[in-house]
Amino acid sequence: MNISLLFDFTRQDFVDRYSGSALGALWAFIHPLVMIFIFTVIFANVMSAKLPGGSGGNYDYPIYLVSGLLPWIAFTNTITRCSTVFLEKRHLLNKIRLTLAYLPVYVVISETVTFAIAFTLFLGFLAATNQLPGAWLLFVPLIFILQQIFAFGLGLLFGVLNVFLRDVKELVTIVLTFWFWLTPLVWVPAVAPEWLQQLQDYINPANWFIAAYRDIFVHHHLPDINALSRLVIIAHAVLLGAWFLLKWLEKDIRDFL
Amino acid sequence: MIRADHISKTFRLYRKPSDRLKELILRRNYHSVHCALHDVSFQITDGQTLGIIGQNGAGKSTLLKILTGVLLPDTGDVQISGRITGLLELGTGFNMDLTGLDNIRANAMLLGMTQEQIQARRTAIIAFAELGSFIEEPLKTYSSGMVMRLAFAIAIHADPVCFVVDEALSVGDAYFQQKCMRRIQEFRANGGSILFVSHDMNAVKTLCDEALLLENGCVIDRGSPKAVVDHYHAMFLSRSHHGDLPVAINKPPEVIDTQPAQSIVVESPLVGTGEVRLLKLELYNAADQLIQHLTSEEPLRIVAHIQTLRDLDQPHYGIGIRNRLGQSVFETNTYCMGQHPPALVAGETVQVIWQFTVNLIAGDYSITVGVGNRPYGTGSFSEILFFSHDLTMLKIETNTTAIRYDGYFNMHPSVTICTPELPILPNE
């Protein structure tokens, strides 16, 4: 495994993304900053949105939103970008011997870095408003790694399929939109009908990690270990399945690119 | 060292890529098969150059892609004792928005070099590419020749065990091509292997130690570059033949250096239908002696005894002289000379007598003879009845009374040196 090549891909990804812009990599900070600003200032102060069942603090709902949305954005970006990465980099795959799995891996790393920047800013905000969750914070990297393994598995799966069927990319976007609204990201589980709440526990792996972040940031307690262990199983099963599919179809992928 | 063992590759052709998925799910066939390579084996030892020739679509690119690991073979395996680079990666990993310097780093890394190796080679790469201040500019401002310079500089400095030289090299200007060739020779002298893929047959004959002829994915010939290139040309000739009988290609035996008999009978030419036989081919000097050696600048008579086994309405006869490398130094035929040889009836024998003044530079030459029927165009024949190279050898020795010169032949220059009446001013 060529680690330096992976890091170079990641670095290049950031360079490409902001190449030609005057502020450059500063944009990687501006975007999450604006998002945090909108949710906190607008929701908390202008709209005075309150979290049902929350502690009643001004910032409960913004923290609820941001603690769910930041990981979700990393999750979905990883999946959508992985699903097109083979086609985007076909000019390399056509000319140079390159392990296929490197490409989605660098997407995962790149999105992780983006998340880390945004997350650090979010921590800064929490520290400023004195709402840091304390030692539970140590669980965040663990949850995030699990989440990204899951995203990597799904992205790899869609990426392989997308080589053969370009519609997969569009389907992924639509499925992720549905997934976004069916997961309690902007809404609170308490306002949803009973069946939808139950669904979250049984078949929505996204909610398992989203809820875990909320447990830490909103409720300041230990995440649901049971749900997380289910996530461990699902994430690795998906990754293993995608891996076998990749190995099985590798020759065809290279032929088709 | 590179070793390819029994490589086969078939492409399954689908009308659209999604048919592959349909096939997986429905377990039915939705493809047609195209065999791109069939049981290809070869080996390139250190310091050796292997030429790969073949028509478009013969499988050359597929073979290169398998060697570089971009495509996976169906069967067989490839062993390379290191990295294989070349210009076929021209522009790969090149990001047009990045500067030359940034691209050196990115591309070298893609080729598998470590940071330390890149650091160590950077100056050498920049110096070799000779891009001046452009090395600091984004690649989109480069001309294609400049991109090629950068690509070549990186590829040759990536410590490959094998370097692929292909037509991409011709993008560079004459100066840089020369520089590249020198560098490639140096690389070969230091034990590097070279894979030479080109349509420039003279280059294949001069540069390669061995050649491989691909046709429809199969290796149909392999051996000394000269013999393989002749075979390749014979394929073209046989393709332009429109006679009733099919032409057969007979690969000549690969013993060129032994002294051939003074007169020979050729029943199975390189290309031919078998309807024309070369009974005898003799070389005479001015004194009517049968010869194999001749001093340059002296007259030569070539006599070909040709027998036809069928009626020929417009027969024409060709002659050619080739040098040691198999490069044609002179060739023509009766049609090109505006002659109208008489028609022949089956069984008839003719003597075709050619007279030359052989003002060739000293060296070993060989004689080519051809017989065609029904000419058209600038020198093609609808029927190629007989065509064979290296029928007999001719050694040309230096004529000490002639001027000394180098090149291919004595153009008998004249020279005058005089003083101009008016002084010529140098150009402004």
Side-chain angles (χ1 to χ4, degrees):
Chain A
M1 186 121 178
N2 191 339
I3 302 287
S4 61
L5 183 64
L6 276 180
F7 282 120
D8 192 64
F9 271 137
T10 310
R11 206 189 75 107
Q12 203 53 53
D13 188 41
F14 278 89
V15 173
D16 289 348
R17 208 182 300 176
Y18 305 111
S19 76
S21 65
L23 294 181
L26 220 54
W27 285 110
F29 291 85
I30 295 172
H31 285 301
L33 211 57
V34 168
M35 182 180 141
I36 293 169
F37 172 79
I38 288 175
F39 287 138
T40 52
V41 174
I42 312 288
F43 278 90
N45 299 331
V46 181
M47 291 169 65
S48 311
K50 290 276 184 292
L51 189 65
S55 56
N58 245 0
Y59 290 109
D60 275 4
Y61 187 56
I63 292 172
Y64 178 87
L65 270 180
V66 177
S67 63
L69 279 175
L70 285 184
W72 175 262
I73 289 169
F75 181 68
T76 53
N77 277 354
T78 306
I79 295 175
T80 44
R81 290 190 53 208
C82 282
S83 66
T84 56
V85 77
F86 292 129
L87 288 178
E88 270 169 25
K89 296 285 178 189
R90 67 195 301 175
H91 63 282
L92 292 184
L93 291 172
N94 265 331
K95 298 275 187 181
I96 284 189
R97 179 203 301 261
L98 208 58
T99 314
L100 285 182
Y102 274 16
L103 295 173
V105 169
Y106 100 79
V107 170
V108 173
I109 298 176
S110 171
E111 288 305 321
T112 303
V113 173
T114 313
F115 172 80
I117 293 170
F119 187 72
T120 312
L121 293 171
F122 179 51
L123 285 186
F125 162 78
L126 290 181
T129 52
N130 202 19
Q131 303 187 71
L132 279 175
W136 303 124
L137 212 51
L138 296 174
F139 269 90
V140 171
L142 184 73
I143 303 169
F144 189 75
I145 288 171
L146 268 183
Q147 164 203 325
Q148 287 302 81
I149 290 174
F150 187 38
F152 177 47
L154 288 173
L156 193 60
L157 183 72
F158 296 135
V160 169
L161 295 180
N162 196 42
V163 174
F164 304 99
L165 192 64
R166 307 291 156 89
D167 311 56
V168 168
K169 177 189 142 205
E170 308 300 327
L171 279 172
V172 167
T173 327
I174 288 173
V175 167
L176 287 178
T177 313
F178 272 103
W179 205 351
F180 175 82
W181 290 108
L182 287 173
T183 308
L185 285 161
V186 289
W187 49 272
V188 187
V191 303
E194 187 76 13
W195 62 269
L196 189 56
Q197 289 187 42
Q198 298 225 313
L199 231 54
Q200 302 300 332
D201 287 338
Y202 293 119
I203 63 160
N204 188 357
N207 190 50
W208 301 343
F209 61 81
I210 294 292
Y213 290 114
R214 260 76 178 267
D215 283 338
I216 294 169
F217 289 103
V218 180
H219 308 296
H220 297 212
H221 67 61
L222 184 71
D224 180 1
I225 296 300
N226 188 6
L228 285 181
S229 20
R230 269 177 293 162
L231 185 64
V232 170
I233 294 165
I234 291 260
H236 286 84
V238 170
L239 181 57
L240 205 66
W243 187 263
F244 278 117
L245 191 70
L246 176 78
K247 283 292 149 205
W248 186 38
L249 289 175
E250 174 162 7
K251 208 158 71 183
D252 296 273
I253 294 171
R254 290 186 185 273
D255 287 356
F256 276 114
L257 283 175
Chain B
M1 150 121 160
I2 293 189
R3 203 191 155 88
D5 282 321
H6 306 289
I7 293 180
S8 291
K9 174 82 186 172
T10 41
F11 285 110
R12 287 188 281 195
L13 303 177
Y14 297 86
R15 277 187 299 114
K16 46 186 195 293
S18 59
D19 281 355
R20 175 73 183 114
L21 289 187
K22 230 156 91 184
E23 205 172 72
L24 288 180
I25 297 160
L26 300 177
R27 304 240 157 234
R28 278 171 48 195
N29 268 0
Y30 284 95
H31 64 259
S32 53
V33 170
H34 168 68
C35 181
L37 288 176
H38 180 73
D39 199 23
V40 174
S41 303
F42 60 86
Q43 188 174 325
I44 316 177
T45 49
D46 293 343
Q48 209 201 10
T49 303
L50 177 74
I52 296 182
I53 57 178
Q55 289 168 289
N56 293 339
K60 299 188 298 291
S61 303
T62 307
L63 183 58
L64 285 186
K65 283 191 169 181
I66 287 175
L67 290 178
T68 48
V70 169
L71 289 180
L72 304 177
D74 292 337
T75 59
D77 92 304
V78 177
Q79 285 163 11
I80 301 176
S81 59
R83 203 175 282 149
I84 172 165
T85 69
L87 280 181
L88 76 168
E89 284 119 16
L90 182 68
T92 298
F94 277 173
N95 182 330
M96 289 296 151
D97 289 321
L98 293 182
T99 66
L101 288 173
D102 284 339
N103 271 304
I104 290 178
R105 188 186 46 75
N107 202 330
M109 204 167 256
L110 277 172
L111 292 176
M113 289 169 79
T114 63
Q115 295 282 7
E116 297 76 48
Q117 285 172 324
I118 297 171
Q119 275 308 319
R121 293 299 161 89
R122 228 171 88 106
T123 342
I125 293 172
I126 295 169
F128 191 90
E130 287 186 62
L131 290 168
S133 58
F134 267 98
I135 200 78
E136 314 258 5
E137 299 294 326
L139 247 64
K140 59 187 169 196
T141 63
Y142 285 29
S143 70
S144 52
M146 290 161 80
V147 174
M148 176 262 167
R149 282 181 174 220
L150 192 63
F152 184 91
I154 298 170
I156 198 78
H157 285 94
D159 291 332
V161 292
C162 179
F163 193 79
V164 179
V165 182
D166 60 7
E167 304 277 283
L169 194 64
S170 58
V171 174
D173 55 30
Y175 163 74
F176 199 74
Q177 276 190 44
Q178 289 289 322
K179 185 170 177 177
C180 290
M181 287 319 292
R182 273 202 308 278
R183 188 65 179 78
I184 289 169
Q185 304 283 11
E186 198 180 305
F187 167 74
R188 180 164 71 162
N190 290 333
S193 317
I194 291 168
L195 204 60
F196 191 81
V197 184
S198 179
H199 292 285
D200 180 352
M201 292 305 140
N202 273 334
V204 170
K205 282 191 269 194
T206 13
L207 295 174
C208 299
D209 301 309
E210 198 186 8
L212 203 84
L213 175 57
L214 280 181
E215 170 78 356
N216 293 329
C218 301
V219 178
I220 58 167
D221 198 2
R222 187 187 160 168
S224 82
K226 198 171 137 212
V228 175
V229 168
D230 285 350
H231 191 168
Y232 180 63
H233 281 146
M235 276 168 49
F236 282 132
L237 276 179
S238 70
R239 199 144 302 173
S240 66
H241 171 83
H242 297 297
D244 302 329
L245 270 184
V247 290
I249 296 177
N250 303 295
K251 213 195 137 196
E254 262 190 44
V255 270
I256 304 285
D257 292 333
T258 55
Q259 291 288 323
Q262 291 213 339
S263 66
I264 39 146
V265 181
V266 177
E267 306 244 12
S268 51
L270 180 64
V271 186
T273 56
E275 296 161 308
V276 164
R277 301 202 300 161
L278 178 67
L279 300 178
K280 254 204 259 182
L281 182 67
E282 297 160 327
L283 309 180
Y284 293 98
N285 64 9
D288 271 341
Q289 293 165 309
L290 268 175
I291 47 134
Q292 282 181 316
H293 305 260
L294 190 68
T295 306
S296 185
E297 315 288 333
E298 284 188 356
L300 167 72
R301 198 164 87 248
I302 303 177
V303 181
H305 301 255
I306 289 162
Q307 184 185 34
T308 176
L309 303 178
R310 57 164 265 218
D311 295 355
L312 299 177
D313 51 352
Q314 299 171 50
H316 282 278
Y317 311 97
I319 194 79
I321 298 178
R322 305 199 309 164
N323 67 11
R324 189 177 47 84
L325 296 170
Q327 292 162 326
S328 171
V329 291
F330 182 78
E331 59 185 79
T332 190
N333 60 54
T334 47
Y335 175 65
C336 293
M337 289 162 74
Q339 301 286 316
H340 300 282
L344 298 178
V345 293
E348 202 174 336
T349 303
V350 286
Q351 270 190 47
V352 185
I353 303 156
W354 305 87
Q355 309 239 37
F356 304 89
T357 304
V358 184
N359 51 351
L360 290 169
I361 194 156
D364 292 316
Y365 295 86
S366 71
I367 308 299
T368 301
V369 169
V371 179
N373 195 28
R374 297 192 184 150
Y376 65 92
T378 52
S380 306
F381 296 89
S382 357
E383 293 173 291
I384 289 134
L385 303 160
F386 182 99
F387 185 86
S388 226
H389 287 305
D390 304 332
L391 290 167
T392 187
M393 301 300 292
L394 173 64
K395 193 178 188 72
I396 302 292
E397 284 140 8
T398 309
N399 186 331
T400 45
T401 59
I403 60 164
R404 271 180 292 142
Y405 61 95
D406 201 357
Y408 288 92
F409 66 102
N410 188 354
M411 291 180 77
H412 290 291
S414 73
V415 63
T416 320
I417 297 139
C418 58
T419 324
E421 285 163 19
L422 289 170
I424 295 169
L425 294 171
N427 287 334
E428 288 298 310

